[in-house]
């Protein structure tokens, strides 16, 4: 039996697109596929009905550019996730999505409560202490047991350095997304 052709709808990546997952492989025989979420709590991925995909960076490419997947269903299965999209109706089609990068619109993310932030919203924010001393720019975040740690990049003697600050109320005074600034109780020599 010949392989089924994969027919995807071309799309344009939204201006607020965030990469949230990769498609790992086909799952079952009816077009479902395994999904590797880039977040430990992928609620935005489960909520979104429209996923945008790009071909894998390495390996076989069965499509070019950006395509959209209208999701029939995405759900947890065991310790991972699976998804099923319109137009992906058999295992052969699902296999052709292997390695695809998955993006969704930031507008599809669930609303956060006061004092809660998506990591992606903190990246690039300037961090200053109470005295107004610039400590760096958030380049990454990392989970460290019960708390999250801000990873800052800053310049010193012409070289890029790294500074770590726990993202906890004891040290973080204010996060202002509109001004792209985090104020902390932290000194440069800590």
């Amino acid at each position: 039996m010949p392989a089924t052709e994969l027919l995807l709808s071309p799309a344009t990546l939204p201006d607020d697109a965030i990469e949230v997952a990769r498609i790992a492989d086909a799952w079952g025989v009816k077009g479902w596929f395994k999904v590797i979420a880039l977040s430990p709590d992928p609620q935005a991925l489960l909520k979104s009905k429209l996923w945008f995909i790009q071909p894998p960076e390495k390996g076989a490419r069965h499509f070019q550019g950006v395509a959209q997947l209208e999701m029939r269903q995405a759900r947890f299965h065991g310790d991972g996730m699976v998804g099923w999209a319109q137009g992906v109706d058999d295992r052969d089609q699902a296999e052709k999505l292997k390695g695809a990068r998955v993006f969704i619109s930031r507008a599809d993310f669930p609303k956060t409560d006061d004092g809660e932030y998506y990591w992606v919203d903190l990246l690039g924010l300037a961090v200053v202490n109470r005295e107004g001393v610039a400590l760096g720019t958030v380049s990454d975040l990392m989970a460290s047991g019960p708390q999250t740690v801000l990873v800052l990049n800053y310049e010193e003697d012409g070289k890029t350095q790294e500074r770590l600050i726990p993202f906890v109320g004891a040290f973080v005074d204010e996060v202002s997304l509109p001004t792209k600034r985090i104020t902390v109780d932290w000194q440069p020599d800590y």
Side-chain angles (χ1 to χ4, degrees):
M1 181 164 111
T4 309
E5 186 177 348
L6 180 62
L7 299 174
L8 297 173
S9 299
T12 301
L13 208 56
D15 291 338
D16 66 345
I18 307 280
E19 185 172 1
V20 293
R22 301 280 171 122
I23 296 177
D25 208 349
W27 182 75
V29 296
K30 295 187 178 185
W32 285 78
F33 43 86
K34 295 177 190 174
V35 179
I36 300 171
L38 301 180
S39 166
D41 186 21
Q43 294 304 314
L45 187 59
L46 293 170
K47 178 183 179 267
S48 180
K49 295 296 181 193
L50 188 60
W51 293 6
F52 298 89
I53 59 172
Q54 290 183 335
E57 294 162 337
K58 296 178 181 177
R61 292 176 167 229
H62 296 283
F63 65 97
Q64 298 296 317
V66 178
Q68 66 184 30
L69 292 177
E70 292 181 39
M71 296 305 297
R72 293 173 171 162
Q73 190 176 359
R75 61 181 168 87
F76 290 109
H77 180 75
D79 61 352
M81 283 184 65
V82 293
W84 187 34
Q86 295 288 342
V88 183
D89 297 313
D90 62 36
R91 184 174 187 85
D92 290 339
Q93 290 173 326
E95 284 176 346
K96 291 178 181 174
L97 296 175
K98 183 177 181 175
R101 300 168 62 200
V102 179
F103 298 79
I104 62 172
S105 170
R106 174 63 179 85
D108 286 341
F109 282 44
K111 300 287 183 238
T112 58
D113 292 331
D114 286 341
E116 291 184 338
Y117 306 95
Y118 285 108
W119 285 17
V120 70
D121 293 336
L122 300 176
L123 295 174
L125 297 188
V127 180
V128 297
N129 68 12
R130 291 175 174 174
E131 294 78 31
V133 175
L135 299 175
T137 302
V138 179
S139 63
D140 199 2
L141 291 101
M142 63 182 186
S144 174
Q147 66 192 16
T148 299
V149 176
L150 297 171
V151 180
L152 310 182
N153 283 347
Y154 67 97
E155 292 289 322
E156 185 174 80
D157 298 328
K159 294 182 181 177
T160 301
Q161 304 289 325
E162 194 172 81
R163 177 176 283 129
L164 305 177
I165 301 176
F167 190 63
V168 294
F171 301 116
V172 176
D173 292 338
E174 179 186 25
V175 175
S176 175
L177 296 179
T179 63
K180 299 182 186 262
R181 184 174 166 141
I182 299 174
T183 305
V184 296
D185 182 13
W186 200 262
Q187 294 302 315
D189 57 352
Y190 285 2

